[in-house]
Amino acid sequence: MHEDLERVLFTEEEIRAAIERVAGEIAADYQEKEITLVTVLRGAVFFAADLARALPLPVRMDFLAVSPFPLASGSGMVRIAKDLDESIAGQHVLLVEDIVDTGLTLRYLMKTLTLRQPSSLAACAFLDKKPRRLADVPLRYRCFEIPDRFVVGYGLDYQQHYRNLPYVAVLKPEVFRG
Ligand code: 5GP
């Protein structure tokens, strides 16, 4: 294990099993329908790539990025920094997030994507940090619930590091306190 890490929360094997389970839930709900995975850059890329391959359905993929609203940092307000490349009108859209923490990002994205008139819209997160939730967001699928700790790996970063760890781990608090 990397020296900056306190403990591993989920191993590669546990992640694989959780994604298989969630893919099964999604496949059961959507039957044979084509779904559009709208993935939030950059953290959710690893999850989306594995989820897409585990889904026994036709899948389209598009990506967007959010960034904190200028002049409102710390407020949880976000804006779209990179938009989707294609229209989602009339499509069954599944929003793919790395982690839902306060829920403010997800709430904003659900509102924004709803305005584009998809046939359906649901959200799926790799991690659900429920203890910090501020916004009541409809998260239909999740791989794991986690406690209120800062985690990295499997796409999640701290200052752009640790994304490529194949597992999820708790970062030692002294690392991000500097
Ligand atoms: P929310 O709007 O739900 O508070 O924020 C979600 C975003 O906060 C995530 O997409 C992620 O970028 C960041 N975030 C929240 N908790 C963690 C965490 O434990 N680790 C990492 N790496 N990012 C986190």
Side-chain angles (χ1 to χ4, degrees), residues 97-105 129 149-151 156-157:
E97 263 280 25
D98 52 358
I99 181 166
V100 178
D101 183 15
T102 62
L104 295 173
T105 306
K129 201 191 274 188
R149 299 299 308 275
F150 193 84
V151 298
L156 291 142
D157 74 310

Side-chain angles (χ1 to χ4, degrees), residues 95 97 100 106 123-125 127-128 133 137-142:
L95 183 61
E97 263 280 25
V100 178
L106 183 58
C124 174
L127 301 176
D128 183 0
R133 195 63 42 82
V137 280
L139 185 56
R140 191 177 304 165
Y141 309 99
R142 66 181 61 70

